[in-house]
Amino acid sequence: MMDLEKDGLPPYSYSALPEVKIGGTKQAPQLKNKRRSMRRSRAVRFVTLACLLFIAFAQWKQSRGLPGPHHPRKNHGLSIDRLQENLATCAKLRHKPKNPTGLGRERNARYVDGQKPTLIRNATVWVGEAVGATSEEDARAGHGFAWIKADVFIQRGLIQTVEADISLASLPEDTLIWDAKGRQLTSGIIDMHSHSGVDSLPNLVGNDDTNEMSSDITPYVRSIDAIQPLDPQFQVIKSGGVTTSLVLPGSGNNIGGEAYVVKHAIGQADGRSELSAEDMLADPDRNWRYMKMACGENAKRVYGKAGERGPYSRMGESWAFRQAFEHAQKLVREQDDWCAEADAVGIEHMSHYLPEDLEWESLGAVLRGQVHINTHCYTIPDLEAFVDHTNEFKFPVRAFHHAHSTYLVPEILKRAYGDQTPASAIFADNMYYKAEAYVGSEYAGKILFDNGFDTIYVSDNPVINAQHVLFEAARGYKYGLPYHAALASVTSLPAHYLGLGERIGKIKPGFDADIAVWDSDPLSVGAAPVQVWIDGTAQFKDPVELNKSVSSPIVPDPSLGVIPGEPVRVKDIVYTGITRSLLPGMEAPATTEEGSLTLVVLDGKIQCFGSCEAELRQASDAKVEVISLANGYVTKGFTAFGSLLGLNEIDMEADTDNGPSRGKAFSRGVDGLALDTKKLGVAHRYGVTKAITAPKYRYGISRHGTSVGFRTGAANSLEDGAVWGEDVAVHYTLSLAAKGDTTPSISSAVGALRSALLEAVTSEEEKKITDRFSEKAFLRKVVRGETALVVSVHSADTIAALLRVKKEVEAAAATKLRVAILGGAESHLVAEQLADAEVGVVLAPLLSYGTSWEERRALTGAPLTNGTAVDALVAAGVVVGIGLYEDWVIRDLALHAGIALRNGGGKVTDEEALEMISGNLYKILGVEEPEGEFLVFEGNPLEITGRVRGVGGSRFVDVV
Ligand SMILES: *[C@@H]1O[C@H](CO)[C@@H](O)[C@H](O)[C@H]1NC(C)=O
Ligand SMILES: *[C@@H]1O[C@H](CO)[C@@H](O)[C@H](O)[C@H]1NC(C)=O
Ligand SMILES: *[C@@H]1O[C@H](CO)[C@@H](O)[C@H](O)[C@H]1NC(C)=O
């Protein structure tokens, strides 16, 4: 029966026509009707004859007293043809899919004729599994994994040979040779949670097909019916080495619909023969089907309208699930009964056709074990309820996604129905955005691993740019997941949970030839592919290669596996083993070996940095604790700019948020400051000691009012030194979020800003100012050049409009305005003009990926573009800062600076990179950077393994 599917008829329609053969060749569908009617007349004759024979047989049998049907049923006027189709359908209903094999294939079913064999020479290869004799237990612990020196030969879309020094003489003449120059080679990355193609970028209403919102339970919709192969994000994702994605419907619905595994080779430019979603299917034979389900906040928020429709609560959601499964179960039972009866008595005795119902067909297939379920569930009640459903209706779940709480409830996971415990498909450290994401841990991956579960890192593209899903895995490693498990989390593990573990995710003979060669260790900061192959075809014609020398793979650092406790506040502490200080004014003495420096802190103050022999003795006498570091670093504290830290705790919970100004209300951040929150605690312990935060305008990076400069570790705003800048800068918004009630268009928003500034120029205005904290008073400071004007804006065109306004106001005021940009996705297009106007840019995010129309011309980096915005701005001489576009990024600020460093082609130094998250922000705003804080790191803070071991204030050190 699988032939039907191989013919290209969709397996999801069990009412599909049976295959008809004429002279041994498969017949085109339009010819089927004629052939079918011919068959029918022959069949009717056959059935008539059969009936006559049966009657004769029954009478003979009755006369012999043999058991049998006492009332033999006749064909109740039903079409025998259709009954036969029904019987064929029974075989499909009973079919138990198996994982498709890899080895033994002559060619990859996706192979396009004419593509040449390729030899990738001199690579450092990660096979993706432990060497031969390693036991399963040892392999889980990481034994038997290694980077090996090898060549990889690929032909007919398959990996043929992985061996050192493959002889050219043994290969076909037309083999393409590609020299890896010793660089690291892995399987293509697999993202098990993507909406690329259905949530195309840039976001446009006309292109949004993520959720079928007409009903909460839509198992009958299919993502393949909406996948737009021309979504530019597919190519961006591929430029991060991602070759395969599971494209899921969104999580608005409890049951969202069927999902499809696609590869990112699209159309002729990528070596395909056609431009279609069908052609993108990773497994053209469609052995497995996939379905998205979701529990928790989304469905009740989207559908819950009291008195009109549900579900309104998690209780209602569970009922919606159970009722849906009950429907499907009923269909399955009726079908099974029919098929069993048809087998027993023959179709000619059936009194009705096979029960079929397209609405419940796919969910029936779930209950038949033909569909891999991926369910979005955050919280313990969600997980527990869903596990309960799996046992009530007897279906397995492959993975819980957004599974922020799975690490807390191993016993619940173990209770899930089936042989395979569900994996957790998670982000590394993205949390806090809604109540169910408020409980989360960056150590979840490690904890799950330690409990014997599998962690898979996913993007939820475009929630996270899937181009960098590998960076999620890298941070998984940073937070304690072993190196081999972190690599597996985006290669072999998702492959396994997709049922494609013999096809993708490893570099072995018989696997599909999906390969990425990296410019640096794949788990290092800023790693980018230099080339990517899908089914053996190189995907980038003219890839941009960053200026990075070939480096050795990371040597896994087992100390990362120790989860640090809560910071302890002390006054006296000694750190030894320091290699380098990046703290301005405290540079390391010239001749020191690695780790030979000591930092002595007494009474909260740095007493000594260097060899510090006398101070060490003194500290030892006083029994001060000594922390010995491996490769220690000292830096200044970091600053969060552009976030909502201090004004917001959970994005989607209004009660936890200062609230949006939405138009008229211009306010001061200091008046809304709410300190001592969980988010601020995290900021502080990750070295972000200060923040500059303005009230939000509406969504995204939009801001309106004055920003407050404060210390993240303060208990309240009255604490000494808590607020170091009451009104650091004046913020307005010219992003798309500016379009609202008071300014319905971008032009009116630009006009309103110009008009307000020009008004502030006239001296009569000054006389009218009675409230020195009013908008007018602050604008007066802006036009005098005393306070910076920070504008949230992404579009290069709107930045151009802003630069014109700046000139016009400067001409009227006869002063120079200090203007800065927050956002700046397209700022690289006007880099020279920004430099001329001395306008600084705080990139938020550092790496835009064109999610909205105003960001669509963002540079996404190598191998697609020559650098990103930061490179163009630095090259033009613009002062650049790195801001936060979402607050959870707080843990990653130093890593983002690391990306600017590593991918800067040697143009940025370590010190300059760290200035992007500290000093440059102050330079851009024209204010003094508050001093007195320092950070102690184990490892380089700009690299994946660097972690904070001490956060020093002026009176104490929080020791981690
Ligand atoms: C492989 O690459 C390394 C690093 O670039 C180089 O030193 C070595 O000579 C290369 N070996 C061969 C056989 O090309
Ligand atoms: C990339 O841009 C830099 C300048 O920022 C230039 O020197 C280099 O030649 C460019 N590389 C390519 C491949 O275009
Ligand atoms: C490449 O980077 C190195 C430092 O890593 C630098 O010395 C060199 O000038 C850079 N080369 C180019 C072409 O930019």
Side-chain angles (χ1 to χ4, degrees):
M1 288 319 300
M2 293 312 290
D3 277 349
L4 266 182
E5 289 156 33
K6 284 176 184 157
D7 269 358
L9 286 169
Y12 35 76
S13 168
Y14 286 122
S15 54
L17 298 173
E19 180 185 297
V20 179
K21 288 193 178 180
I22 299 177
T25 56
K26 284 160 196 165
Q27 191 63 2
Q30 63 268 30
L31 294 179
K32 278 182 182 167
N33 284 346
K34 194 169 152 212
R35 190 70 200 165
R36 272 155 48 86
S37 59
M38 281 163 61
R39 256 173 42 139
R40 183 174 299 129
S41 58
R42 220 186 291 152
V44 168
R45 265 182 270 140
F46 169 78
V47 168
T48 314
L49 185 64
C51 285
L52 288 171
L53 285 172
F54 183 81
I55 291 165
F57 168 74
Q59 282 175 352
W60 169 78
K61 196 170 65 172
Q62 228 168 20
S63 69
R64 303 283 308 259
L66 292 176
H70 294 294
H71 307 285
R73 279 183 288 170
K74 296 228 175 83
N75 169 12
H76 300 260
L78 302 182
S79 149
I80 285 294
D81 237 23
R82 195 170 148 196
L83 288 166
Q84 221 133 31
E85 286 166 16
N86 285 171
L87 197 61
T89 301
C90 287
K92 297 177 76 173
L93 295 177
R94 288 170 180 150
H95 174 70
K96 297 278 178 234
K98 288 199 188 72
N99 293 342
T101 56
L103 210 58
R105 283 184 292 170
E106 164 65 17
R107 54 188 271 154
N108 182 334
R110 290 176 43 84
Y111 176 66
V112 175
D113 283 324
Q115 285 166 346
K116 293 181 178 165
T118 299
L119 178 72
I120 304 174
R121 285 176 86 178
N122 197 15
T124 304
V125 176
W126 186 260
V127 171
E129 66 180 28
V131 288
T134 316
S135 73
E136 210 172 299
E137 199 178 323
D138 282 353
R140 189 165 174 91
H143 302 300
F145 284 88
W147 287 98
I148 58 167
K149 292 277 172 205
D151 299 345
V152 180
F153 177 60
I154 52 197
Q155 192 179 26
R156 293 184 297 276
L158 299 173
I159 296 173
Q160 305 287 349
T161 324
V162 184
E163 275 171 23
D165 306 319
I166 295 177
S167 131
L168 291 187
S170 68
L171 303 178
E173 258 177 28
D174 60 346
T175 302
L176 306 170
I177 313 281
W178 196 90
D179 188 359
K181 298 178 186 140
R183 292 192 191 274
Q184 284 161 272
L185 180 154
T186 66
S187 118
I189 302 302
I190 301 165
D191 181 10
M192 210 171 78
H193 189 139
S194 184
H195 304 296
S196 52
V198 294
D199 194 353
S200 295
L201 298 183
N203 283 319
L204 291 174
V205 175
N207 286 347
D208 181 3
D209 295 299
T210 325
N211 293 283
E212 178 46 49
M213 295 278 193
S214 56
S215 168
D216 175 44
I217 301 289
T218 61
Y220 43 79
V221 306
R222 308 174 295 193
S223 70
I224 197 171
D225 294 334
I227 290 174
Q228 166 56 282
L230 295 178
D231 178 356
Q233 181 66 1
F234 277 126
Q235 300 298 335
V236 172
I237 293 171
K238 185 167 65 186
S239 77
V242 181
T243 49
T244 307
S245 297
L246 175 62
V247 178
L248 296 156
S251 53
N253 309 32
N254 281 132
I255 299 184
E258 287 198 69
Y260 293 81
V261 184
V262 300
K263 291 203 190 180
H264 293 233
I266 299 161
Q268 285 176 356
D270 295 349
R272 306 303 302 167
S273 46
E274 58 171 291
L275 181 65
S276 78
E278 167 95 27
D279 185 68
M280 293 165 68
L281 291 177
D283 175 14
D285 299 330
R286 305 188 187 206
N287 283 287
W288 288 105
R289 298 165 74 180
Y290 306 87
M291 191 179 285
K292 171 73 175 294
M293 301 189 186
C295 15
E297 281 186 35
N298 290 1
K300 61 177 188 154
R301 177 160 42 82
V302 171
Y303 295 99
K305 302 271 180 296
E308 290 175 37
R309 57 182 193 192
Y312 193 80
S313 70
R314 286 186 161 87
M315 295 183 288
E317 289 187 25
S318 271
W319 164 241
F321 274 123
R322 296 173 66 218
Q323 191 180 35
F325 280 112
E326 186 192 37
H327 277 296
Q329 193 180 52
K330 192 158 168 282
L331 177 66
V332 166
R333 283 178 183 152
E334 286 171 4
Q335 288 177 330
D336 287 352
D337 289 350
W338 190 94
C339 293
E341 192 182 345
D343 277 356
V345 306
I347 51 167
E348 59 277 18
H349 298 292
M350 299 306 286
S351 61
H352 61 277
Y353 295 120
L354 173 72
E356 288 179 288
D357 185 348
L358 200 50
E359 187 175 357
W360 300 110
E361 184 279 325
S362 57
L363 209 53
V366 168
L367 298 182
R368 296 179 182 284
Q370 298 170 341
V371 184
H372 282 333
I373 300 294
N374 286 275
T375 302
H376 154 133
C377 281
Y378 283 81
T379 66
I380 295 173
D382 291 326
L383 293 163
E384 193 150 24
F386 202 86
V387 163
D388 191 43
H389 307 328
T390 70
N391 287 307
E392 182 176 1
F393 295 96
K394 304 207 170 3
F395 67 94
V397 55
R398 294 298 277 189
F400 284 115
H401 293 239
H402 293 261
H404 272 54
S405 293
T406 47
Y407 81 98
L408 297 168
V409 290
E411 299 311 319
I412 293 177
L413 291 184
K414 286 182 203 157
R415 285 211 300 271
Y417 177 83
D419 306 330
Q420 172 81 65
T421 311
S424 295
I426 57 176
F427 306 128
D429 52 11
N430 180 351
M431 51 188 83
Y432 307 143
Y433 43 91
K434 52 182 174 169
E436 61 189 4
Y438 192 53
V439 179
S441 168
E442 60 273 43
Y443 298 103
K446 177 208 159 40
I447 296 168
L448 285 162
F449 178 83
D450 289 349
N451 280 282
F453 300 109
D454 288 328
T455 303
I456 293 170
Y457 288 103
V458 294
S459 73
D460 198 7
N461 186 85
V463 169
I464 286 174
N465 179 3
Q467 178 191 359
H468 300 302
V469 71
L470 183 62
F471 189 45
E472 298 296 308
R475 272 142 51 228
Y477 168 63
K478 179 185 182 69
Y479 301 126
L481 191 63
Y483 183 86
H484 72 285
L487 276 174
S489 74
V490 287
T491 54
S492 54
L493 276 180
H496 168 79
Y497 282 90
L498 290 170
L500 299 174
E502 300 292 312
R503 289 267 173 100
I504 54 177
K506 291 181 185 174
I507 301 295
K508 288 177 69 182
F511 277 67
D512 292 5
D514 300 341
I515 293 169
V517 172
W518 302 92
D519 65 5
S520 51
D521 189 286
L523 297 186
S524 66
V525 169
V530 294
Q531 185 55 280
V532 175
W533 290 260
I534 294 181
D535 305 312
T537 302
Q539 295 296 303
F540 297 103
K541 284 222 166 49
D542 206 3
V544 175
E545 191 171 327
L546 293 170
N547 173 19
K548 292 186 196 174
S549 55
V550 176
S551 52
S552 305
I554 287 176
V555 177
D557 178 354
S559 74
L560 292 172
V562 179
I563 298 178
E566 287 302 306
V568 178
R569 186 158 286 191
V570 301
K571 283 189 165 302
D572 309 322
I573 190 84
V574 173
Y575 290 97
T576 62
I578 294 167
T579 300
R580 195 163 169 206
S581 167
L582 297 166
L583 190 62
M586 201 187 81
E587 282 77 19
T591 55
T592 48
E593 307 152 39
E594 180 173 313
S596 65
L597 302 169
T598 294
L599 179 75
V600 178
V601 182
L602 294 176
D603 202 26
K605 302 263 185 306
I606 294 179
Q607 295 294 318
C608 174
F609 179 66
S611 56
C612 302
E613 278 147 27
E615 289 82 355
L616 253 180
R617 245 176 284 122
Q618 203 187 328
S620 161
D621 291 345
K623 299 210 167 19
V624 173
E625 191 190 351
V626 178
I627 294 182
S628 91
L629 303 170
N631 191 27
Y633 273 69
V634 183
T635 71
K636 57 182 167 180
F638 309 143
T639 299
F641 184 81
S643 73
L644 289 171
L645 286 173
L647 292 177
N648 163 293
E649 184 67 343
I650 304 172
D651 302 341
M652 289 178 65
E653 290 292 333
D655 288 358
T656 75
D657 182 44
N658 178 53
S661 8
R662 270 204 199 98
K664 293 191 181 105
F666 182 97
S667 65
R668 304 170 70 213
V670 70
D671 291 338
L673 206 53
L675 301 182
D676 196 20
T677 62
K678 179 156 135 178
K679 223 152 68 172
L680 285 168
V682 170
H684 188 72
R685 73 178 290 174
Y686 277 85
V688 181
T689 54
K690 295 181 285 291
I692 302 171
T693 303
K696 75 180 173 195
Y697 182 71
R698 287 170 67 213
Y699 55 84
I701 54 153
S702 66
R703 301 288 179 265
H704 195 66
T706 68
S707 46
V708 55
F710 65 98
R711 288 198 161 77
T712 56
N716 61 64
S717 64
L718 298 177
E719 201 179 279
D720 192 20
V723 175
W724 51 263
E726 289 201 344
D727 301 283
V728 177
V730 173
H731 293 249
Y732 285 91
T733 291
L734 291 178
S735 67
L736 284 174
K739 292 202 262 185
D741 301 337
T742 51
T743 54
S745 59
I746 294 294
S747 54
S748 63
V750 173
L753 179 59
R754 180 200 288 112
S755 157
L757 289 166
L758 287 176
E759 225 171 81
V761 171
T762 67
S763 55
E764 289 102 83
E765 275 304 306
E766 192 161 11
K767 290 184 204 128
K768 286 189 224 153
I769 295 172
T770 52
D771 176 358
R772 69 187 176 92
F773 300 113
S774 65
E775 181 172 9
K776 283 187 175 176
F778 288 117
L779 284 172
R780 189 75 194 140
K781 288 187 169 182
V782 168
V783 298
R784 283 181 178 159
E786 292 165 9
T787 299
L789 172 70
V790 180
V791 180
S792 298
V793 57
H794 281 305
S795 151
D797 298 304
T798 314
I799 293 174
L802 173 65
L803 294 183
R804 295 162 66 104
V805 169
K806 179 174 180 283
K807 252 193 186 158
E808 287 151 4
V809 175
E810 283 174 344
T815 52
K816 208 160 164 49
L817 265 56
R818 183 174 287 279
V819 174
I821 283 169
L822 172 64
E826 294 190 347
S827 58
H828 58 96
L829 294 170
V830 284
E832 301 290 340
Q833 292 88 340
L834 287 165
D836 285 348
E838 291 174 53
V839 171
V841 176
V842 181
L843 292 168
L846 169 70
L847 302 174
S848 171
Y849 50 108
T851 47
S852 62
W853 183 252
E854 61 188 341
E855 297 170 84
R856 71 192 181 283
R857 293 173 290 182
L859 295 176
T860 53
L864 272 185
T865 68
N866 184 14
T868 60
V870 64
D871 301 296
L873 293 171
V874 168
V878 176
V879 183
V880 183
I882 298 172
L884 285 89
Y885 58 106
E886 282 173 1
D887 293 356
W888 61 267
V889 180
I890 201 70
R891 293 178 179 85
D892 305 329
L893 267 189
L895 297 182
H896 286 190
I899 292 171
L901 169 73
R902 295 283 164 252
N903 294 355
K907 291 188 293 292
V908 177
T909 65
D910 290 30
E911 288 86 348
E912 287 166 349
L914 285 177
E915 284 296 285
M916 291 180 186
I917 54 171
S918 55
N920 283 8
L921 301 165
Y922 299 89
K923 213 183 275 177
I924 288 168
L925 301 175
V927 298
E928 282 286 308
E929 179 177 8
E931 287 181 358
E933 287 150 337
F934 62 93
L935 308 175
V936 181
F937 279 85
E938 184 138 36
N940 186 338
L942 296 158
E943 286 172 4
I944 204 76
T945 48
R947 68 216 112 119
V948 178
R949 298 297 308 273
V951 180
S954 50
R955 297 182 301 275
F956 48 77
V957 181
D958 286 334
V959 175
V960 185

